Amino acid sequence: MPAEGQEDVSRQLARTPRDIPVSAFAGRSNLGVARLSESGARFAFVTWQDDKTILSVHDASTRQQLATVDLGSGNEFGWFRWAGDNRILISVNTYAAGLFFLPVTRLMAYDMEAHEIRYIGFDRQGLSGDDILHVDPAGEHILLSVSRSVYRNPEVWRFPLDGSGEDGAERVHKSQKDVDAWWADDQGTVRLGMNFTSGGSVKVYYRPDAASDFTKVTKVKLADETAIDAWDVMGIYAGTDTGYAMVDGPDGRGVLKEIDYSTGTLGETVWENPRWGLEKVLMRRGEGPLGVIYTDDGPQIDWLDPAMKAYHDALSKALPGSRVEIIDITPSNRMLVMQSGSNDPGALYIFTPGEGRLDLFANLRPEIDERQLLPMTAHDVRARDGTVLRAFLALPKGREARNLPAIVMPHGGPFGIRDSAIYDDWTQLFASRGYAVLRPNFRGSGGYGEAFERLGDGQIGRAMQDDLDDTLDWAVAQGIVDPAKACIVGASYGGYAAMWGLIRNPDRWRCGASFAGVADWEDMLKYDRNYFGRGSKGRRAFRKWEPRVTGDVDFDLSTISVTDRIGELRRPLFVAQGKTDRVVPQSQFDDLLETAEKSGITLESLLIADGHSISDPEEETRLLEAMIAFLEKHNPPDPD
């Protein structure tokens, strides 16, 4: 749905799907992270210009731009949130050299009236500088949990946001020897603390109000995932010990329960679904959960608040034929609303119920004419061992769904991540160029229960890869795909699967393309040991991750590593990498190219000036244009 002034341009450009330029599919869709100020008078979102991250601030009534804030490079910016109507809190990321390159966070505040950015915190402090426990609704101060050095436990300080800096800071709660993290209630009273012990457990301390002392509630083993999940604190409210916990039910699907923080006892079930697990809870300060989000074939919401359900129903009628998502809401009920579809990038609206106004702000992808793209469809695929997979199919418009050239595109992760029938730039770009695009949720994917996810443990390069082959076989059996015209494309884990597929099953695939793909699993695990961090939480995360990759402790990772097997490659392969990628380092890419050259194997390659999640539209356009050229060379689509 184009914004005002955009309709003639977009419709004129998109006479056929191929008329949509590649650049129209590039760059992050930034409006989805827009946030309203406390009263709803203003809203802000992040955009990217050249190599800079820009915070754009607008008047919610007039939609006019009020300010732009340069936040530096994309790798430095973490997140933002409002403090009142006049100040915006911004988290930035750096790395501490000499400390195994551990991530460091710092907090900044942009003052709308003074038009300046201020540092919030101490000149000398620990690694975490953005742990906000409470924000004053008027935007005058915050509560920050911060340690004065790397080797000390955190204290809680009230920092003013008026520019007085640490001189105006006031300590409201001193450090405690065995408390590593603090939580406050909605009124700013510190109520809960946790200690992550070296022995692999968590101690929880709690008090009902400011006048009481902290007492130890429980000690939970980290291995007891259900008990640990119960203490993923979602909100503490003044005057009550009752909070909410997102925990796994008996079948591994997430449910929402009440929890008594004073005893650690789980109470009534607030929400559950017999088929789908809870993914996110929408909370309102001082009230509790407004609604819950889960995914079947696409994101869904169940409203727990009748008024919000009525608003959502009204918006769905006003924007028919699309998915409506309320991405932010103020206490006065002004809302930011996203409208989208599986073939429609969507648009951002401002909804003001009190005035009966629904104002279009902008399209996420103004050059894309959704009428030239087809909605995705969902299908069951039975794998060779009988496991039922869910796969999503995008078809090119204007072509019969018979014997099409195809792209199988596995998602990243791989564990706990999933695809769904929502708009995806790469999917629709490839479909617009004449390919049938298949996105299977192979074993190990999230959203289908713990048992399905655990089927992926130890199956990287093995049964997970079988699932991709079986999805292709399904599409061939349906007559949709020509078996001689299939390529495999992916990023991150999907990039690995694309590379490995050509070596493992060259008879199935005509070509493959990878961005930021893992090429050597043994080296990747060595890197991950540091990437997850040296603290107890990092060690715990790595201990869970490593066996999911290796499976059998004696398994030889070289047998499923692309670099070790690259000499066997017999199909065209395109590999690309971001120079600043900290998730899959450039060394994976460099070593692969070097080994391929020594083995007499020629790879098409591209190095871009970006990271794992591409933020620069020009660099992503370079990547996508190179991919399209590679695919059309080695697996040309049928002529129009």
Side-chain angles (χ1 to χ4, degrees), residues 121-138:
F122 296 109
D123 289 339
R124 296 175 62 85
Q125 60 185 38
L127 298 176
S128 177
D130 65 347
D131 187 5
I132 298 173
L133 306 188
H134 177 71
V135 177
D136 169 41

Side-chain angles (χ1 to χ4, degrees), residues 246-249 251-256 271-280 292-296 300 418 446-450:
M246 187 167 71
V247 299
D248 286 345
D251 62 356
R253 291 181 173 87
V255 302
L256 182 63
W271 181 92
E272 64 179 336
N273 184 290
R275 293 192 62 192
W276 309 107
L278 173 65
E279 295 178 0
K280 183 179 178 181
V292 295
I293 293 175
Y294 65 98
T295 300
D296 45 28
Q300 305 292 341
R418 62 167 297 179
Y448 299 95
E450 183 180 12

Side-chain angles (χ1 to χ4, degrees), residues 480-493:
I480 299 169
V481 170
D482 183 338
K485 295 182 178 180
C487 290
I488 182 168
V489 178
S492 194
Y493 171 80

Side-chain angles (χ1 to χ4, degrees), residues 18 396 399 403-407 430-436 485 510 628-640:
R18 278 187 172 273
R399 299 174 187 267
N403 294 322
L404 291 168
I407 292 172
F430 294 143
S432 75
R433 268 51 187 175
Y435 298 98
K485 295 182 178 180
R510 189 161 176 169
I628 291 293
F630 172 84
L631 291 166
E632 291 184 342
K633 174 183 176 182
H634 296 288
N635 190 22
D638 298 329
D640 293 328

Side-chain angles (χ1 to χ4, degrees), residues 75-341:
N75 289 325
E76 294 170 355
F77 170 71
W79 50 259
F80 80 92
R81 63 178 290 185
W82 284 90
D85 283 330
N86 296 316
R87 297 184 175 105
I88 301 173
L89 303 171
I90 303 158
S91 172
V92 295
N93 306 314
T94 58
Y95 281 81
L99 290 170
F100 305 104
F101 294 96
L102 292 177
V104 176
T105 58
R106 293 294 182 258
L107 189 65
M108 316 297 289
Y110 176 70
D111 191 306
M112 293 282 298
E113 294 179 347
H115 302 289
E116 66 179 19
I117 293 182
R118 300 163 179 157
Y119 172 66
I120 307 296
F122 296 109
D123 289 339
R124 296 175 62 85
Q125 60 185 38
L127 298 176
S128 177
D130 65 347
D131 187 5
I132 298 173
L133 306 188
H134 177 71
V135 177
D136 169 41
E140 297 300 321
H141 65 265
I142 63 169
L143 291 188
L144 191 64
S145 175
V146 62
S147 58
R148 302 301 296 270
S149 80
V150 175
Y151 306 103
R152 295 174 61 180
N153 286 354
E155 303 173 317
V156 180
W157 287 77
R158 180 182 290 109
F159 276 90
L161 301 178
D162 59 3
S164 58
E166 66 177 81
D167 292 338
E170 176 188 356
R171 189 175 70 179
V172 299
H173 199 81
K174 65 182 181 180
S175 65
Q176 190 168 313
K177 183 175 66 173
D178 52 355
V179 171
D180 303 306
W182 295 105
W183 281 262
D185 65 22
D186 59 309
Q187 298 300 311
T189 299
V190 181
R191 298 267 301 276
L192 190 145
M194 290 189 192
N195 169 232
F196 303 94
T197 73
S198 59
S201 61
V202 176
K203 297 177 185 177
V204 181
Y205 300 88
Y206 178 77
R207 65 177 179 176
D209 51 51
S212 302
D213 294 328
F214 280 93
T215 58
K216 179 181 170 183
V217 174
T218 187
K219 181 177 180 180
V220 182
K221 288 288 186 182
L222 292 173
D224 187 348
E225 295 188 10
T226 299
I228 286 295
D229 288 345
W231 289 104
D232 185 7
V233 180
M234 299 175 62
I236 306 174
Y237 302 98
T240 179
D241 295 323
T242 300
Y244 301 91
M246 187 167 71
V247 299
D248 286 345
D251 62 356
R253 291 181 173 87
V255 302
L256 182 63
K257 285 182 171 287
E258 291 183 345
I259 182 173
D260 186 333
Y261 288 130
S262 67
T263 63
T265 305
L266 290 173
E268 296 293 323
T269 298
V270 179
W271 181 92
E272 64 179 336
N273 184 290
R275 293 192 62 192
W276 309 107
L278 173 65
E279 295 178 0
K280 183 179 178 181
V281 181
L282 303 178
M283 308 286 285
R284 174 176 273 171
R285 187 177 64 244
E287 295 184 22
L290 291 177
V292 295
I293 293 175
Y294 65 98
T295 300
D296 45 28
D297 284 335
Q300 305 292 341
I301 185 164
D302 276 353
W303 290 106
L304 306 177
D305 181 278
M308 288 303 302
K309 183 180 186 307
Y311 285 137
H312 193 270
D313 290 346
L315 287 165
S316 297
K317 290 180 181 178
L319 301 168
S322 61
R323 183 173 71 89
V324 172
E325 179 186 5
I326 297 171
I327 63 172
D328 199 14
I329 180 172
T330 69
S332 64
N333 283 338
R334 175 168 266 172
M335 305 175 203
L336 292 177
V337 177
M338 291 291 297
Q339 161 272 323
S340 64

